[in-house]
Amino acid sequence: MFDAQKMGYIRVGSAVPRLQIADPHANATEMIRLAELAAKDQVKVLVFPELCLTGYTCADLFHQRLLLDQVQTALQLFLNSTRKLDMLMVVGMPVESDNQLFNAAVVLHQDKILGVVPKTFLPNYNEFYEKRWFSPAGGRISDTVTLCSQEIPFGESLLFKEQFSPLCFGVEICEDLWMPIPPSSYHTIYGANVIANLSASNELVGKAEYRKALVRQQSARCLTGYIYTSAGPSESTTDLVFGGQTIIAENGSILKESRFEDSIVISVDLDIEKLENERRKANSFMGNVEPKIYRKILFTFGNAGLQIEPSGLKRQIDAYPFVPGSKEDRDIRCREIFTIQLNGLAQRLRKTGMKKAVIGISGGLDSTLALLVCREAFAKLGYSDQEIRGITMPGFGTTGRTKGNAQELMKELGIHNREISITESCLLHFRDIGHDPAVQDVTYENVQARERTQILMDIANSEGGIVIGTGDLSELALGWCTYNGDHMSHYAVNAGVPKTLVKYLVSWYADTTDNPIVTRILKDILDTPISPELLPPNPEGNIEQITENVIGSYDLHDFYLYYMMRWGFPPIKVYLLACKAFSGKFSEKEILRWLKVFYKRFFSQQFKRSCLPDGPKVGSICLSPRGDWRMPSDVSATIWLKEIEKLEEELNQ
């Protein structure tokens, strides 16, 4: 079990009650039932629809004294019945103040009403007549209002802050979201990280997608969680049909939604820490603050936080965060990345005046992708494929399979190819430096990598070309490259592409090329174990040195890299997310073992990243010292590793 709340998670819910129009008591009873269901699910923030205690469609009945009296009684019933539920709840109802009636959201916690937020923008067009019954927030006079014998803060600029967590909550109502500058834009600038929208938006063809786009965009623009709850089908009457659309979004992503259902609660875990980290990182978020006066209402959740197993976290954790889930989205992503890569290389060639490229082809994934990018860049520039100098450099660990694929691919793509064995030159170098070649240590391996890079650099000099780097983002994160060997080039086309995505890029090219032989070769390369091939093959001639047996699965390392760099999560949170994402594929001990390897290597290998060659940034994570990542080469990893060691102790108990 872990306390999800301490890691920044808050379970939020959207409730759509089955209403009886103009029957507040019946509606309160239904809402109490839904609140109790949400409490059993450990929901801490629950949002009901606009004017849900009466029904949005009461029309001129809002002028009836009996209805207004009954809604107060219904609110008291709701308060009394939910006082033991440790939830922040928001309900919609008409509220009287200053000789006016307001369409308002009432925010309550247990038996205390924390505040009342009136609707800012009232629609009065087409099927909407709200100004017939209600006044806008700007028409209020008082800063407080009395409900259920409580004097309560009243106004559109109220925020609700939980004292012992980062949760800060703001409210807007329906039409407010549709305005050029929604109130939530100001709420979030002044501290809100979760927005509730109580709505009663009727259904029209295409309107649901538009609402969804509004919620997604506002949550992204404001770097916030957004809970949108609309009136359900039971509100449908006369000429209008309501669909009960519910949407829970977080920074541009829809986490959960429903439509055309009522008497339901949907819930999901919002990651407040993620939102807060993103805001601190995006320092322009606070770059244009319009002066406003906000009141923060403090409250405190009374019981323990959200205690769950990793598998109980109510949100989707993608095991492959760099790779879109659907094939259609993957194809779009691959095409876009490939286009960025080839255009970056084309520009480098054009600006330097170089018309030749030199690239080492091993028969592995990275060099294959670099070659494909290079060929398409040359095609864009109108250069001959023969000006691409593909060099295969077999050494002590090269197998027939990889060498054969490298040579056949170069031939089929029509590039100039050449074989230069490094065996003799490496043996000579071993003799010169006094190294016994029988000792297959790091010197044995790195001599080969540096010899290959020297060959490529010297050929580039002699032919007036540039060396194309092949190493990828995952290798740079782990430092799985030889300093001044494969670590170096004139332009590194794969530097921004993680290993898990390299596979899909090569696969995408294989599926889209019209050359069946190229497709066959690429498919075999995809099936080949990832290896630097620096140690001799096994007796059967197959690859003996498999990278992922040494440093761990790239699936895991790319996951760690994403959540550590993109969101700034600590090791314990990365570990717990990995346990959920890879449940059934890796054990908890395996996940923790390779997590420790990741942090050790990431921190110790920064010196290699401090002097990287140029390469195109293609995604939100980049390790270039000129771009997204600036880190001392001599930083201490102690506090990160200590947290992992605590996890190890707990796991071994």
Side-chain angles (χ1 to χ4, degrees):
M1 299 286 284
F2 73 100
D3 189 337
Q5 235 163 267
K6 286 185 177 178
M7 295 190 188
Y9 291 109
I10 184 80
R11 185 160 294 175
V12 303
S14 179
V16 181
R18 183 176 289 123
L19 300 182
Q20 300 293 327
I21 306 304
D23 190 344
H25 184 277
N27 297 336
T29 302
E30 164 74 348
M31 291 162 60
I32 291 163
R33 187 183 68 81
L34 293 180
E36 289 172 344
L37 284 176
K40 289 179 181 178
D41 191 32
Q42 300 189 71
V43 169
K44 303 301 285 185
V45 176
L46 186 63
V47 180
F48 288 93
E50 181 179 11
L51 293 170
C52 55
L53 274 176
T54 57
Y56 178 78
T57 52
C58 283
D60 284 356
L61 294 177
F62 285 121
H63 291 153
Q64 293 291 309
R65 181 72 261 160
L66 180 60
L67 182 67
L68 297 179
D69 289 343
Q70 286 293 309
V71 79
Q72 292 259 2
T73 303
L75 179 62
Q76 187 65 63
L77 171 65
F78 188 82
L79 279 171
N80 293 342
S81 302
T82 60
R83 62 189 305 166
K84 293 183 180 180
L85 305 183
D86 192 24
M87 277 192 295
L88 185 73
M89 290 186 280
V90 194
V91 302
M93 61 178 281
V95 172
E96 298 177 84
S97 179
D98 307 320
N99 302 309
Q100 301 173 90
L101 191 64
F102 294 89
N103 178 347
V106 178
V107 182
L108 49 93
H109 177 239
Q110 297 182 315
D111 60 353
K112 184 177 181 182
I113 301 174
L114 300 178
V116 176
V117 180
K119 190 171 184 177
T120 300
F121 298 100
L122 301 182
N124 218 62
Y125 54 87
N126 296 338
E127 61 265 44
F128 302 108
Y129 301 95
E130 286 194 37
K131 288 185 179 179
R132 182 181 176 95
W133 313 296
F134 302 112
S135 294
R140 70 178 176 83
I141 297 172
S142 302
D143 288 333
T144 62
V145 66
T146 300
L147 285 178
C148 300
S149 302
Q150 299 182 35
E151 187 174 359
I152 307 150
F154 178 48
E156 63 274 27
S157 298
L158 299 181
L159 297 179
F160 304 90
K161 177 71 177 71
E162 207 282 325
Q163 293 193 73
F164 299 106
S165 75
L167 174 65
C168 187
F169 191 79
V171 179
E172 63 186 5
I173 303 175
C174 199
E175 185 80 0
D176 293 346
L177 173 62
W178 299 63
M179 294 299 99
I181 305 178
S184 55
S185 296
Y186 296 110
H187 297 346
T188 53
I189 286 174
Y190 279 86
N193 45 40
V194 176
I195 298 294
N197 186 309
L198 295 74
S199 181
S201 184
N202 63 303
E203 296 302 325
L204 297 171
V205 174
K207 194 175 182 182
E209 283 304 311
Y210 190 77
R211 281 191 296 255
K212 188 173 174 179
L214 285 174
V215 171
R216 180 190 288 114
Q217 283 291 323
Q218 189 66 358
S219 73
R221 187 177 293 110
C222 295
L223 299 177
T224 191
Y226 201 103
I227 311 165
Y228 179 92
T229 308
S230 191
S234 58
E235 282 268 20
S236 302
T237 184
T238 319
D239 300 325
L240 300 182
V241 173
F242 292 84
Q245 187 168 20
T246 62
I247 307 166
I248 303 178
E250 179 185 278
N251 191 17
S253 297
I254 304 297
L255 302 184
K256 200 159 189 179
E257 59 183 321
S258 68
R259 189 170 171 234
F260 285 115
E261 295 182 74
D262 59 10
S263 199
I264 65 159
V265 176
I266 68 166
S267 61
V268 75
D269 294 329
L270 290 179
D271 193 338
I272 306 296
E273 180 187 355
K274 180 178 176 181
L275 296 168
E276 296 285 293
N277 288 350
E278 185 74 348
R279 288 181 180 185
R280 286 192 296 270
K281 190 174 180 181
N283 53 20
S284 56
F285 183 77
M286 296 296 292
N288 188 23
V289 180
E290 182 177 325
K292 282 185 175 289
I293 298 174
Y294 267 84
R295 287 180 284 171
K296 282 191 177 178
I297 315 300
L298 300 179
F299 70 100
T300 305
F301 287 135
N303 59 20
L306 184 60
Q307 303 292 323
I308 56 175
E309 297 290 345
S311 59
L313 193 64
K314 292 193 75 171
R315 62 185 286 134
Q316 180 66 33
I317 305 298
D318 192 350
Y320 302 94
F322 292 108
V323 183
S326 73
K327 186 179 186 306
E328 181 182 0
D329 290 341
R330 281 198 303 272
D331 288 348
I332 293 171
R333 179 74 58 82
C334 288
R335 185 178 297 109
E336 186 173 7
I337 290 173
F338 198 82
T339 302
I340 292 171
Q341 288 179 282
L342 75 88
N343 275 280
L345 177 57
Q347 179 72 352
R348 175 55 53 91
L349 291 165
R350 184 186 291 117
K351 285 296 181 69
T352 59
M354 299 288 190
K355 293 190 176 182
K356 290 184 181 180
V358 180
I359 182 169
I361 308 299
S362 67
L365 279 171
D366 291 341
S367 65
T368 296
L369 176 59
L371 174 59
L372 298 175
V373 169
C374 191
R375 183 170 182 262
E376 297 301 326
F378 270 57
K380 179 181 176 69
L381 294 169
Y383 295 172
S384 168
D385 291 340
Q386 282 291 305
E387 298 305 310
I388 301 173
R389 302 301 202 241
I391 317 293
T392 181
M393 296 168 282
F396 305 121
T398 304
T399 60
R401 181 181 185 181
T402 54
K403 177 181 174 182
N405 280 336
Q407 292 178 331
E408 191 176 3
L409 181 62
M410 289 188 286
K411 179 181 177 182
E412 199 60 36
L413 292 177
I415 72 166
H416 181 278
N417 64 87
R418 181 177 174 187
E419 178 181 332
I420 302 175
S421 173
I422 63 168
T423 302
E424 289 187 20
S425 57
C426 287
L427 288 172
L428 179 60
H429 189 62
F430 289 151
R431 189 190 69 190
D432 290 343
I433 65 173
H435 182 78
D436 182 357
V439 179
Q440 296 171 359
D441 58 4
V442 66
T443 303
Y444 180 88
E445 295 186 30
N446 285 352
V447 160
Q448 297 173 70
R450 292 193 179 102
E451 179 62 24
R452 285 175 172 141
T453 301
Q454 175 179 277
I455 290 169
L456 297 175
M457 288 289 181
D458 290 345
I459 290 176
N461 286 161
S462 67
E463 300 205 16
I466 64 171
V467 174
I468 308 302
T470 63
D472 62 48
L473 180 68
S474 306
E475 293 177 342
L476 292 172
L478 295 166
W480 192 250
C481 53
T482 299
Y483 192 86
N484 208 32
D486 53 316
H487 155 263
M488 192 48 59
S489 65
H490 292 125
Y491 193 77
V493 293
N494 294 338
V497 186
K499 186 75 78 177
T500 48
L501 198 50
V502 170
K503 296 177 184 178
Y504 280 102
L505 282 161
V506 173
S507 179
W508 166 78
Y509 195 96
D511 291 339
T512 55
T513 182
D514 56 5
N515 187 325
I517 299 176
V518 169
T519 297
R520 176 183 58 77
I521 299 167
L522 295 180
K523 294 290 186 183
D524 193 61
I525 290 171
L526 285 162
D527 289 338
T528 303
I530 298 171
S531 172
E533 292 194 307
L534 297 173
L535 297 178
N538 63 25
E540 290 76 35
N542 297 320
I543 294 172
E544 180 74 17
Q545 184 186 23
I546 297 177
T547 298
E548 290 177 297
N549 290 345
V550 179
I551 60 171
S553 168
Y554 278 115
D555 291 356
L556 287 173
H557 286 307
D558 282 359
F559 184 91
Y560 303 151
L561 177 66
Y562 178 81
Y563 283 101
M564 185 272 286
M565 280 195 62
R566 180 68 181 87
W567 303 114
F569 290 167
I572 186 171
K573 190 168 181 178
V574 176
Y575 165 73
L576 290 166
L577 292 179
C579 287
K580 178 175 173 63
F582 292 100
S583 177
K585 183 172 182 179
F586 297 103
S587 69
E588 292 181 357
K589 286 191 174 182
E590 285 179 297
I591 290 169
L592 194 55
R593 174 193 174 192
W594 297 123
L595 182 66
K596 190 172 187 178
V597 169
F598 172 82
Y599 275 95
K600 279 184 174 180
R601 293 194 66 93
F602 186 88
F603 278 83
S604 67
Q605 300 295 300
Q606 174 61 25
F607 72 98
K608 294 179 182 176
R609 300 187 291 265
S610 294
C611 56
L612 286 178
D614 292 347
K617 177 181 177 180
V618 302
S620 59
I621 292 177
C622 175
L623 286 167
S624 168
R626 299 166 296 279
D628 292 45
W629 191 247
R630 294 166 180 81
M631 170 179 157
S633 295
D634 303 307
V635 69
S636 170
T638 300
I639 62 173
W640 287 269
L641 294 176
K642 278 187 176 180
E643 185 165 283
I644 295 173
E645 288 165 5
K646 287 181 183 178
L647 282 169
E648 288 176 324
E649 290 174 7
E650 292 175 11
L651 199 59
N652 291 327
Q653 286 177 355

